[in-house]
């Protein structure tokens, strides 16, 4: 009867090897992921820059509006005091003195409301711009949306376009990685041991898992669909951006024309009308109400001019948000 000499010992080492490029596809997906988030950061910077431009435009307009309203309030108060003195002397009637006082109160309320708008705009600037000191604002005119950058824009390199292109590339890389990983790896094995008689036993083998039940087809199809969606959205965005930039230029051109008419025609005419009505009132041929109504045209036109400037700043902010750069 044969008796075994010792206990049989056996060990196996299997080394899986990716022969279908799975590792390379994972590296490409990781690189595409990094590129996508870098593009998203640039898009966020463009949005932040646009917000700064909007806040700056609002602050500039509010500051200039404060100067106009302060001058109007000073003149209205002087007129109200004068009318009060004339009423005491019997040189003016009570309705005229009341209208002058109401006019002064109206300008005071407008100035206080505009102060709140200015504080809000400067607060937004201070929150968005490091080191900004409220009260040190230097007003400048909005830049013109003209030139080759606006007339022939490169909408394919806008922050939004680049982020969508990076998103499409990431999903395409993810689909490729899913397809690669759906293919089984080849495993090479080494077997070593000792038989029950103490003899050395060596062996080897090759193993492959056929992707019959798990080939990552749903994941690959979903990533491919997301890539197609991003490319379609990119194409739509570029078409809309091209049209929007053209409209921005045309809209600002109309605003500039309106500003020119207000500055060169409407305001001088309003000032002449006020002088004529004041002369007529001084001659005793009209009432105080006519003077106050004529004077309202001046601040109305001046404030309207500031509204046009604010609208122009909003157009510049839209341009910055689309392109990521100042014109």
């Amino acid at each position: 009867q044969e008796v075994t000499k010792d206990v049989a010992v056996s060990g196996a080492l299997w080394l899986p090897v990716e022969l279908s490029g799975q590792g390379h596809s994972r590296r490409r997906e990781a690189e595409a992921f990094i590129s996508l988030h870098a593009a998203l950061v640039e898009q966020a910077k463009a949005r932040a820059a646009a917000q700064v431009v909007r806040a700056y435009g609002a602050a500039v307009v509010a500051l200039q509006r404060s100067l106009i309203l302060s001058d109007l309030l000073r003149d209205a108060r002087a007129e109200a005091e004068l009318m009060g003195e004339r009423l005491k002397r019997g040189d003016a009637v009570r309705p005229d003195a009341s209208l002058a006082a109401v006019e002064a109160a109206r300008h005071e309320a407008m100035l206080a409301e505009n102060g709140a708008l200015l504080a809000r705009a400067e607060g937004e600037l201070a929150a968005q711009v490091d080191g900004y000191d409220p009260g040190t604002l230097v007003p400048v005119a909005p830049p013109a949306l003209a030139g080759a950058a606006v007339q022939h824009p490169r909408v394919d390199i806008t922050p939004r376009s680049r982020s969508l292109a990076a998103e499409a590339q990431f999903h395409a890389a993810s689909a490729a990685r899913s397809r690669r990983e759906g293919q089984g790896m080849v495993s090479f094995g080494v077997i070593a041991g000792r038989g029950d008689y103490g003899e050395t036993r060596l062996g080897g083998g090759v193993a492959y898992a056929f992707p019959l039940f798990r080939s990552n087809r749903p994941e690959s199809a979903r990533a491919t669909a997301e890539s197609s969606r991003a490319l379609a959205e990119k194409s739509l965005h570029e078409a809309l951006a091209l049209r929007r930039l053209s409209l921005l230029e045309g809209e600002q051109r109309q605003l500039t024309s309106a500003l020119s008419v207000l500055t060169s025609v409407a305001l001088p005419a309003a000032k002449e009308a006020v002088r004529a009505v004041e002369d007529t009132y001084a001659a005793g041929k009209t009432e105080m109400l006519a003077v106050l109504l004529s004077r309202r045209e001046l601040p109305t036109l001046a404030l309207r001019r500031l509204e046009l400037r604010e609208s122009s700043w909003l157009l510049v902010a839209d341009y910055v948000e689309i392109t990521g750069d100042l014109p």
Side-chain angles (χ1 to χ4, degrees):
Q1 183 178 0
E2 296 182 358
V3 180
T4 58
K5 180 181 180 181
D6 206 343
V7 178
V9 178
S10 178
L13 174 64
W14 292 93
L15 178 64
V17 180
E18 296 175 334
L19 299 180
S20 299
Q22 291 93 333
H24 178 66
S25 64
R26 285 194 294 270
R27 286 192 296 271
R28 287 187 58 189
E29 183 185 24
E31 292 171 356
F33 184 80
I34 294 172
S35 299
L36 169 60
H37 284 75
L40 291 175
V41 169
E42 293 300 321
Q43 184 179 352
K45 288 181 179 179
R47 291 199 191 100
Q51 291 177 359
V52 171
V53 172
R54 291 189 185 97
Y56 176 80
V60 166
V61 170
L63 179 61
Q64 294 174 334
R65 189 185 293 117
S66 292
L67 298 177
I68 294 174
L69 292 175
S70 296
D71 293 339
L72 292 174
L73 177 60
R74 183 181 62 252
D75 295 341
R77 283 176 173 173
E79 183 70 26
E81 292 177 1
L82 178 61
M83 293 301 297
E85 294 296 330
R86 292 181 60 185
L87 180 62
K88 293 178 181 179
R89 297 196 304 266
D91 295 337
V93 295
R94 185 174 297 277
D96 289 345
S98 299
L99 287 173
V102 169
E103 190 72 4
R106 187 173 72 89
H107 285 102
E108 186 175 1
M110 292 175 62
L111 182 60
E113 180 183 4
N114 185 74
L117 296 176
L118 178 59
R120 178 178 180 179
E122 288 201 320
E124 291 181 359
L125 278 178
Q128 297 170 7
V129 180
D130 292 336
Y132 174 76
D133 184 15
T136 61
L137 188 66
V138 179
V140 298
L145 299 177
V150 178
Q151 297 173 358
H152 306 286
R154 291 287 307 279
V155 293
D156 58 323
I157 60 174
T158 62
R160 178 62 176 164
S161 180
R162 289 200 298 266
S163 68
L164 288 172
E167 184 180 357
Q169 184 179 2
F170 166 70
H171 288 303
S174 180
R177 189 263 307 162
S178 295
R179 288 192 297 269
R180 294 291 186 182
E181 290 187 344
Q183 302 176 14
M185 295 182 291
V186 178
S187 298
F188 298 93
V190 177
I191 302 174
R194 185 181 64 178
D196 52 1
Y197 285 102
E199 75 278 14
T200 300
R201 293 183 178 182
L202 298 175
V206 178
Y208 179 73
F210 291 93
L212 298 179
F213 303 102
R214 181 62 177 170
S215 58
N216 292 341
R217 289 182 180 178
E219 292 84 351
S220 176
R222 183 165 56 248
T224 301
E226 287 291 342
S227 179
S228 299
R229 188 268 311 161
L231 289 176
E233 189 175 348
K234 176 178 180 293
S235 178
L236 178 61
H237 161 75
E238 291 176 358
L240 293 177
L242 185 63
R243 184 176 181 182
R244 179 57 180 156
L245 290 174
S246 177
L247 292 176
L248 289 177
E249 181 190 11
E251 189 174 350
Q252 193 188 55
R253 187 166 56 248
Q254 294 297 325
L255 290 176
T256 303
S257 177
L259 279 169
S260 177
V261 172
L262 281 176
T263 303
S264 60
V265 180
L267 281 173
K271 292 179 181 178
E272 182 63 30
V274 170
R275 284 195 294 268
V277 174
E278 288 177 346
D279 292 341
T280 304
Y281 177 76
K285 298 180 180 180
T286 187
E287 298 179 353
M288 184 62 184
L289 178 61
V291 177
L292 295 178
L293 291 177
S294 65
R295 285 178 178 175
R296 286 185 180 182
E297 290 301 319
L298 276 176
T300 300
L301 293 175
L303 295 177
R304 180 55 184 163
R305 182 173 60 176
L306 292 180
E307 290 176 1
L308 294 177
R309 287 192 179 276
E310 186 172 10
S311 298
S312 186
W313 274 113
L314 293 177
L315 297 179
V316 174
D318 290 344
Y319 175 88
V320 172
E321 185 169 0
I322 293 174
T323 64
D325 295 318
L326 282 171

